Amino acid sequence: MKNRILVSAACAATLLLGGCLSDSGSGDVALSDLPKPAVGGDQQLYRATLRRTSFGIPHITADDYASMGYAYGYAQAEDNLCLLAEDTLTIRGLRSRYLGPDGTYTIPANGATTTNLNADFFWRFVATDEAIAPFRSASDPEVIDASAGYVAGYNRYLAEIRDGKHPGRHQACRDADWLLALEEADMYRRYFRLAVLASSSVFVDGIATAAPPAGLDEVLPAAETLLQQLADAGVGGSGDLAFPLGGELPIGSNMYGLSAGASRSGESMLFGNPHFPWEKTERLYLAHLKVGEDAEIMGAALYGLPAVLIGFNEHFAWSHTVSTAYRFTFYELTLNPADPTQYLYEGEFVDMTAEDITVETLQADGSVGSETRTLYRSQYGPMLQFEVSGIPVLNWSSLKAYTLRDANAENARLLNQFFRWNRADSFEEFVSLHGSVLGVPWVNTVATGPGKPAYYGDITVVPNVPDSKVTECLTALSPVFGELAPGLPLLDGARAACQWDSDADAPAPGVFGPGNLPSLTRDDWVHNCNDSYWATNPAQPLTGFAAIIGDEETPRTLRTRKCMQQVIQRLDGSDGRPGSTGFDLANLQDTVLDSSLMSEQLARNAVLDAYCPLGTLPGSSGLPVDISEACTVLRAWDGRNNLASVGGHIWREFWRNIDPLPVESPDKWLMPFDPADPVNTPAMLNVLSPLVMTAFADGVQRLQDAGIPLDAAMGDIQVSGIHDKVIPVFGGEGFEGSFTIASSRGDGLSDGTYDVTYGNSYIQTVTWGDDGQPRAEGFVTYSQSTDPASPWFSDMTEEYSAKRWIRFPWAEADIAADPALISQPLVELVRK
């Protein structure tokens, strides 16, 4: 426990532990003017300058990582206190205690939705002290110091709120009993939570409720029976069955690395654009961090991480997209028929580990009750059950049960990866660290630097399960997962031979080393838009990797095809943009926000020519739908989803009905996929298919039923779903082949608008000037703060809506010249 003590300083009065805040523009004292107090062996001095430029962008200067983390924690609390406080409840398993057991808990980034009660059982079971201990013990000193500093800085701002300071701010939580102080363990629980975002935490319900059968249950459905049940339930056809992280990912991104061969000037450029939720703590936060002479970096991080996860400096720039690789495997356990908590391993029955967990629950009358469950884990990890559309696929019976091993639950290198990248002195060191640390949890990486090539790597934490092991360790249900999630292994847990392999070049056992993971370096361009590594640059396909990492020679999504097409057309000049071929910062920015659609390019003319002369089409209800007005609007549509574009919503609702059709279905494309041409195939929509006709009619009908005019401009019907005023948003959905993403997932159009809660989030375009300094422009599309009372709650969103690119001040002269500059010297001396 750290206790506050007094510090003597000349700050117009005695400088207390809480520090001295001043506005440099008012002539108040700066940090350099304050005397540095003597620090004893049992004391920690936090001393940093927090400056903010326009849009609330923090620029933090400190001599050490603890002080950097301190200012970072203070700034994030100032901007996002309530959201961070709720996340603290979550990772401690206290949601039921303060918010009630029946409330809803959602992780928008991976699609998991459950009750507060199940969330509490899940996090208490998986994010234990034992689970998070390696995340601290294996961390570099810089990580540990910055984490401790973040806690102190956050708690300082919290103390100011409790003291009645900052009136009007954080009204949603400032008086709540769940506004708790941070502890250092909370930081490592959050790191763990982020590590397993694309793995264990997808299965919150399945892990939190897994229990052995109460009686004898020897029903073992055959794989064929399960597949038929799923098909009868309308889940889908082969390759399209619903599965967590299957199909279009709940999180995604676009990114380009452009080197001399793709640049007008010969200077490298980087574009990065995660597509993340606009709500909860998987938002991204922009900051500029300088720690003595050791590191200077600028960019974004997910809330609660005192580092830059996507960013730039004078040596390099990088970005990430969600990788297709699976981070876990299932294991099938053969049980002792006399005891369903014992399983066979190497010829002997082994006990599962049981853990009794008690969760406190807030009752309707204000009293606090409790609920206890016994949860189990095998040597591989937690036991789980898994259902699809109410059909038990992985069921705990008297004969079989299922468990999960999660590579990222073992990834204690996570924070070291980003802190070492933040400290790297060259592009070459950045690339080297990618493989030597191998701590990136679930994202591809693209990077470049001034005068450097373009680099791509899916050098991530992947279970070492080569295809040969999958074949050797098949179970009766393995064919089901060949349909549910191609590439995801279900392995026989009874044999040691089915344990994960280890590579000599891997930093830890059980994961692939960099030699067995895909990467590519080129002098022109690389990209990733969430499909696998295979067509990173279609001129040089990457092949020969394990299926658990990704698919090869398979159709790309419409968004990925658009992603590649934009570069190819810019380099050959066929995109219609003025001037010479190749990219500069201006035409790169125009390209990535132009809101055009791949599906429109492939199919609009064919659809209109086939259907519009008919006047009506049969809908799925059996009744005819008048499409004449829709045809008139779509004929005049500019093919984009910019604010002034009229007609894009008609096309979207049509394509929403088309999207579930399998790519290989003859009802979709007449020209099949050709691995030699992944950009332009498949093509030729089958407009004669009754399914396609009905899809068009139903799309028009849906808009009519919602009362949305067919001639509405996109800016009138697509708006931010998180702000307290109307802010129009351009862009489209990934399923329709939009590169510029604005998604209103789960929005049934009941209010007559698309309410955007997901999509383009942090955007950066980076190049370097003749002086070697980075030039970066971009947005935090939802703005820096989640507090409606903050001046930075919606300001950057309004700039994004207008496509007014924001310069990210890097050079000291640019920071000092910012007319909105605010400077806060932060000092605190604590006893450890």
Side-chain angles (χ1 to χ4, degrees):
M1 185 69 179
K2 294 182 176 179
N3 299 313
R4 298 186 171 197
I5 64 173
L6 299 179
V7 179
S8 175
C11 188
T14 301
L15 174 62
L16 298 179
L17 173 68
C20 175
L21 306 184
S22 64
D23 183 336
S24 62
S26 66
D28 287 352
V29 67
L31 183 67
S32 58
D33 298 324
L34 300 177
K36 190 171 183 179
V39 180
D42 65 341
Q43 297 172 337
Q44 172 69 54
L45 175 65
Y46 298 111
R47 181 181 171 92
T49 296
L50 167 61
R51 294 182 292 175
R52 289 187 186 264
T53 49
S54 298
F55 309 102
I57 299 173
H59 303 262
I60 294 170
T61 305
D63 290 335
D64 54 75
Y65 284 89
S67 297
M68 180 276 289
Y70 178 81
Y72 199 107
Y74 185 93
Q76 284 210 340
E78 184 177 22
D79 292 340
N80 300 289
L81 180 67
C82 297
L83 191 151
L84 291 166
E86 183 183 344
D87 195 58
T88 302
L89 288 186
T90 298
I91 58 179
R92 290 188 190 176
L94 293 174
R95 295 183 67 87
S96 298
R97 166 62 183 84
Y98 291 97
L99 305 176
D102 299 325
T104 300
Y105 168 68
T106 301
I107 308 175
N110 68 19
T113 298
T114 185
T115 62
N116 287 341
L117 185 63
N118 283 349
D120 289 341
F121 277 110
F122 173 82
W123 290 115
R124 289 199 186 189
F125 185 51
V126 301
T128 62
D129 290 343
E130 293 75 18
I132 68 170
F135 280 72
R136 189 184 195 285
S137 63
S139 286
D140 292 342
E142 293 83 2
V143 176
I144 295 170
D145 289 348
S147 301
Y150 185 100
V151 170
Y154 175 97
N155 286 341
R156 169 177 167 173
Y157 186 82
L158 174 61
E160 292 173 1
I161 289 289
R162 287 175 170 168
D163 289 343
K165 298 177 181 176
H166 314 294
R169 297 296 303 274
H170 313 291
Q171 292 296 324
C173 69
R174 69 179 294 142
D175 297 319
D177 58 355
W178 51 265
L179 187 59
L180 307 176
L182 271 186
E183 300 173 0
E184 286 189 39
D186 295 327
M187 300 296 289
Y188 297 95
R189 283 193 170 86
R190 171 127 179 91
Y191 303 155
F192 180 91
R193 185 168 100 73
L194 292 171
V196 301
L197 186 66
S199 45
S200 295
S201 68
V202 173
F203 305 100
V204 174
D205 265 343
I207 291 173
T209 62
L216 192 63
D217 176 9
E218 298 183 350
V219 178
L220 291 176
E224 296 79 6
T225 302
L226 275 176
L227 288 171
Q228 186 60 54
Q229 289 175 336
L230 290 164
D232 291 344
V235 172
S238 176
D240 288 282
L241 300 178
F243 191 78
L245 298 184
E248 187 182 2
L249 297 170
I251 47 179
S253 307
N254 297 330
M255 61 182 178
Y256 293 135
L258 306 170
S259 191
S263 169
R264 280 182 173 175
S265 67
E267 186 53 273
S268 299
M269 283 174 281
L270 182 128
F271 165 71
N273 177 17
H275 305 150
F276 266 55
W278 286 24
E279 303 172 293
K280 304 294 184 181
T281 50
E282 274 63 71
R283 288 172 40 125
L284 288 144
Y285 186 82
L286 172 63
H288 180 189
L289 312 175
K290 189 174 189 303
V291 184
E293 299 300 319
D294 192 54
E296 185 173 12
I297 201 80
M298 189 172 188
L302 297 171
Y303 287 12
L305 275 74
V308 168
L309 306 188
I310 294 175
F312 61 91
N313 62 17
E314 68 271 34
H315 305 300
F316 51 81
W318 82 100
S319 193
H320 296 299
T321 61
V322 177
S323 160
T324 58
Y326 285 103
R327 312 299 162 179
F328 61 94
T329 65
F330 294 127
Y331 278 93
E332 181 180 275
L333 304 182
T334 300
L335 303 182
N336 181 350
D339 184 350
T341 66
Q342 289 185 332
Y343 62 96
L344 192 67
Y345 186 73
E346 288 297 290
E348 297 182 0
F349 285 113
V350 178
D351 289 327
M352 297 177 189
T353 302
E355 184 175 345
D356 293 331
I357 299 174
T358 299
V359 171
E360 291 183 317
T361 58
L362 180 65
Q363 304 300 302
D365 63 1
S367 63
V368 177
S370 65
E371 183 170 328
T372 299
R373 294 179 188 173
T374 302
L375 299 178
Y376 295 85
R377 59 179 98 242
S378 70
Q379 63 175 300
Y380 302 104
M383 302 300 297
L384 84 158
Q385 295 172 281
F386 174 62
E387 293 185 351
V388 176
S389 295
I391 298 169
V393 177
L394 299 180
N395 188 41
W396 194 337
S397 71
S398 300
L399 300 180
K400 299 288 185 180
Y402 299 88
T403 186
L404 173 81
R405 184 178 176 188
D406 187 337
N408 272 320
E410 306 169 17
N411 178 18
R413 304 173 305 283
L414 169 66
L415 270 295
N416 290 347
Q417 181 77 70
F418 292 99
F419 272 79
R420 292 184 194 180
W421 268 347
N422 288 184
R423 302 169 63 208
D425 290 329
S426 68
F427 167 79
E428 290 77 13
E429 184 181 3
F430 179 95
V431 172
S432 176
L433 287 167
H434 198 193
S436 62
V437 180
L438 219 168
V440 175
W442 33 262
V443 287
N444 304 283
T445 301
V446 159
T448 190
K452 301 299 181 181
Y455 165 78
Y456 162 84
D458 190 352
I459 309 296
T460 51
V461 178
V462 186
N464 195 325
V465 183
D467 295 350
S468 58
K469 184 176 289 288
V470 175
T471 302
E472 294 166 4
C473 296
L474 291 175
T475 74
L477 292 187
S478 292
V480 176
F481 283 90
E483 298 290 326
L484 287 170
L488 175 60
L490 172 60
L491 305 174
D492 182 359
R495 294 187 284 143
C498 298
Q499 295 276 7
W500 297 349
D501 290 345
S502 295
D503 284 348
D505 62 341
V511 298
F512 283 119
N516 280 320
L517 295 168
S519 64
L520 181 65
T521 301
R522 289 182 61 90
D523 291 328
D524 51 3
W525 65 279
V526 295
H527 91 287
N528 188 268
C529 291
N530 295 126
D531 274 307
S532 74
Y533 52 83
W534 170 59
T536 293
N537 185 305
Q540 190 177 353
L542 298 170
T543 59
F545 297 94
I548 194 174
I549 305 172
D551 53 358
E552 299 172 2
E553 299 186 335
T554 57
R556 307 290 89 177
T557 64
L558 289 174
R559 175 160 59 89
T560 290
R561 292 171 64 182
K562 181 67 176 170
C563 196
M564 295 186 288
Q565 181 199 66
Q566 289 178 157
V567 179
I568 292 168
Q569 291 185 344
R570 178 81 298 271
L571 297 187
D572 66 18
S574 61
D575 63 357
R577 288 184 167 81
S580 60
T581 60
F583 283 100
D584 56 28
L585 205 59
N587 65 33
L588 174 61
Q589 292 174 348
D590 181 61
T591 297
V592 299
L593 296 188
D594 83 347
S595 301
S596 58
L597 306 172
M598 193 70 183
S599 63
E600 180 273 335
Q601 295 174 28
L602 291 169
R604 178 169 53 147
N605 288 340
V607 166
L608 298 183
D609 290 347
Y611 300 158
C612 291
L614 303 177
T616 64
L617 288 176
S620 58
S621 66
L623 299 175
V625 177
D626 185 347
I627 63 169
S628 55
E629 183 185 357
C631 285
T632 299
V633 173
L634 286 177
R635 288 282 189 198
W637 178 37
D638 65 4
R640 290 170 165 77
N641 281 323
N642 286 315
L643 299 185
S645 298
V646 175
H649 59 308
I650 305 173
W651 190 261
R652 177 179 302 170
E653 295 310 314
F654 162 50
W655 210 265
R656 192 187 304 277
N657 300 325
I658 291 289
D659 184 56
L661 292 174
V663 171
E664 67 275 11
S665 169
D667 286 305
K668 198 164 192 177
W669 302 110
L670 296 175
M671 178 186 292
F673 169 69
D674 180 357
D677 190 6
V679 178
N680 298 304
T681 63
M684 296 177 61
L685 185 68
N686 184 0
V687 294
L688 298 181
S689 166
L691 293 178
V692 177
M693 291 183 186
T694 300
F696 189 84
D698 286 352
V700 173
Q701 186 68 60
R702 184 181 296 121
L703 291 169
Q704 292 173 343
D705 291 345
I708 299 177
L710 297 181
D711 61 352
M714 186 57 68
D716 293 333
I717 59 173
Q718 183 165 271
V719 299
S720 169
I722 67 165
H723 290 101
D724 55 3
K725 58 183 172 181
V726 175
I727 304 176
V729 180
F730 55 85
E733 299 271 8
F735 67 75
E736 58 184 335
S738 180
F739 181 90
T740 311
I741 301 299
S743 181
S744 48
R745 295 181 178 185
D747 183 352
L749 297 177
S750 59
D751 63 351
T753 59
Y754 295 112
D755 299 313
V756 176
T757 58
Y758 165 90
N760 284 5
S761 51
Y762 172 67
I763 300 176
Q764 65 175 26
T765 56
V766 185
T767 190
W768 291 267
D770 293 338
D771 59 358
Q773 295 300 298
R775 178 185 173 188
E777 296 179 358
F779 306 94
V780 178
T781 60
Y782 31 67
S783 302
Q784 289 278 82
S785 177
T786 51
D787 178 15
S790 169
W792 308 305
F793 177 62
S794 60
D795 56 343
M796 215 180 291
T797 311
E798 294 175 289
E799 297 302 294
Y800 175 68
S801 174
K803 295 188 182 180
R804 291 189 289 261
W805 287 78
I806 296 168
R807 185 76 175 265
F808 296 163
W810 169 269
E812 180 58 35
D814 293 334
I815 297 170
D818 191 300
L821 181 66
I822 299 171
S823 182
Q824 296 175 287
L826 296 171
V827 181
E828 184 171 354
L829 182 63
V830 300
R831 181 171 292 114
K832 298 179 183 179

